[in-house]
Amino acid sequence: MRVEDGFQLTHFTERNAYLSDPVLPNLLKRVLPSKIANEIEPDLVRLGTEVITSVRAISERATPPHLTQYNHWGQRIDQLDTSEAWKELKGVFFKEGIPGIFYERKYGKFSRIYGFVKLHMLVGDSHVVGCPISMTDGCARVLELVGTPEMKTSLFPRLTSRDPSFAFTSGQWMTERPGGSDVSLTETIAIPTEHSGDPMWPAYQLDGFKWFSSATDSDVSVALARTGDIHDGSRSLSLFLVPLRMPLVLQLGEPSPSPISNGIYTHRLKNKIGTHMVPTAELTLKSTTAYLLGSLNHGVRNILPVLYITRIHSAISGTGHLRKCLEIAIAYSKVRSISGGKQLLEENAVHVAQLASISLVYRALTHLVFGTISFMGKVEANVASKDDEALLRILTAVVKAFTAEKAVSAMEESMTALGGMGYMEEVGIGRSIRDALVEKIWEGTTSVLALDLVRSANDPSTFAAFTNWGTKILDSCPSELGSKVRAPLEAVRAAFQTIDDIYRHPTRISPLLPRPGLMLVGYAASAAMLLEHAVWSHNTKISERDVDAEVFVRWVNEGGLSSSVREVLEIARGLGHHEERIRMNSTLVYGPGPKL
């Protein structure tokens, strides 16, 4: 039989990425003033169509980068070539105002929400262009906060431009071989030049090796380097702006400088399991000119705004990829017949239950991510309270880790919802899973972020703000709705109390608790944000109000909150016995007897 004969599969059709989304339209109605929502919605609807048409068409032409280290004369050139489609995708982001929207601040504290909704829709069809865009966003914020007047005049407009021919992108170079996420062991050193005291371009020379340098096709990068005694660890690190080529800004008609013109040599491109289009490399810095950002030996403090921003971008990557995978699974269920052609998958209760469980995770994560973004918007618009700042401090670590842990599993479920078709590369779910997996590692693993969360509790006001915020949302539930969701309400209230009890005394926390503790904070925060939306939905009497209440109930009852509370309490109550469990953990991994 020829392939053209017999049964023919029906191609599924995805819907507009904005209008079909189960969260975004009503979420924006709730969190945005109606004037702003009405103004930006046509733009989002337009982009929702372009994501599945013109943007996807560009994405399908993208190919991995290629490095040529030596030319045919044996000269070192380190020529990095990326595909035209990769460049076009970056251009799409610039034209859409990412990251420009964030810094134009036309909509004040709501600008972050607007821009991130666009990014959320673009993620699944952009081959991780969001990676250099996130670091460009972070670099722009650092220049805004601690850059010199000349940097703000000549570079900041390029980092925030909507014009692809003018815009710059930035990398971020922190990871080195000795420490990974532990920057205290940084080997790269910064030596002051005769211009180190220049108030506009305080120049240093960097020498070192950056082991994991993303987006090495960028124009500039931010990097940590040592400016003091290595025994001082992270307290002797400073933050620098590094031009990838010199001169950084060309005059009209000037030829492009050599890739090694600033002493940056590409050892090799990383061979990764995902993010194949992103040129991630190992770099040698040899007498590389760099410019000090902020005060000497305050590099970790000065780079924190970058980490807050890139962690939010990381979370958006998780929800954005999951959005695409869920939409593919739903679209397939509308055309795939089973039971001898008598039933569509969308009519099968078992199959729809699986899709509902994926939708539940997507809704919870998306509300959590955009709830966190709202606090970032307030901070950057200078309208945040101290409690808002504390919540952003907690939630940036939690939202990145929690989303990374939950989103990929839901993507895998989306894949299986298509059966063998889901495993095919052409469908796109496989690439989303591979690309999203990096979010479990990039910008800190879950364990690293869990320890960061414990450190944040050293300031008692931080978790006090979190508890007060959660309590306020719980108390806002009207009696009519409360009578329908009484048990889940009490479960979430108990979770917040458990979190308060645990993090009130951070020095007493068991070494086994940080990771389960972070997950519990994620469950509690996402539940609170779902409740906040359900309350609004109930009070405004929108047609989806019963669904929103059901989402809250199911997330609390079925999402994992109760088991998370139990795990945390068991560890906390066994505080005096955790040494035995730690010993047994070691035996389970390495076997009995002394470790060789």
Side-chain angles (χ1 to χ4, degrees), residues 231-360:
H231 297 101
D232 290 332
S234 61
R235 295 189 301 277
S236 61
L237 296 178
S238 298
L239 184 62
F240 292 90
L241 179 76
V242 186
L244 270 77
R245 295 174 175 82
M246 292 293 280
L248 175 57
V249 180
L250 300 177
Q251 301 302 316
L252 187 64
E254 273 191 282
S256 179
S258 161
I260 60 175
S261 55
N262 195 23
I264 300 171
Y265 298 89
T266 305
H267 175 57
R268 73 182 186 109
L269 293 179
K270 294 285 196 180
N271 186 18
K272 303 161 292 181
I273 68 167
T275 69
H276 293 155
M277 305 305 159
V278 182
T280 307
E282 298 172 11
L283 302 177
T284 291
L285 308 183
K286 187 175 181 181
S287 300
T288 300
T289 297
Y291 304 103
L292 181 67
L293 287 167
S295 303
L296 274 174
N297 301 323
H298 287 86
V300 172
R301 184 181 69 185
N302 289 329
I303 206 170
L304 281 178
V306 180
L307 297 182
Y308 289 155
I309 286 170
T310 52
R311 286 170 180 172
I312 296 291
H313 277 267
S314 176
I316 280 285
S317 174
T319 57
H321 280 297
L322 179 53
R323 179 208 66 76
K324 178 182 178 180
C325 295
L326 174 59
E327 173 57 20
I328 289 172
I330 291 173
Y332 187 74
S333 74
K334 294 176 179 290
V335 300
R336 180 58 169 164
S337 60
I338 58 173
S339 301
K342 298 176 182 178
Q343 186 184 46
L344 291 171
L345 282 174
E346 67 173 345
E347 300 166 333
N348 181 272
V350 173
H351 189 80
V352 174
Q354 181 180 0
L355 296 182
S357 68
I358 302 167
S359 179
L360 183 67

Side-chain angles (χ1 to χ4, degrees), residues 411-433:
M411 291 180 216
E412 293 169 351
E413 285 296 299
S414 298
M415 175 184 283
T416 65
L418 277 73
M421 185 62 73
Y423 199 63
M424 297 298 102
E425 190 68 25
E426 299 93 327
V427 171
I429 295 179
R431 178 168 62 81
S432 280
I433 291 173

Side-chain angles (χ1 to χ4, degrees), residues 19 49 107 129 195 230 242 261 310 419-420 434 481 501 518 537 592:
L19 293 176
T49 296
Y107 301 111
V129 160
H195 302 295
I230 192 170
V242 186
S261 55
T310 52
R434 290 195 305 273
L481 177 61
D501 293 341
L518 179 144
S537 183

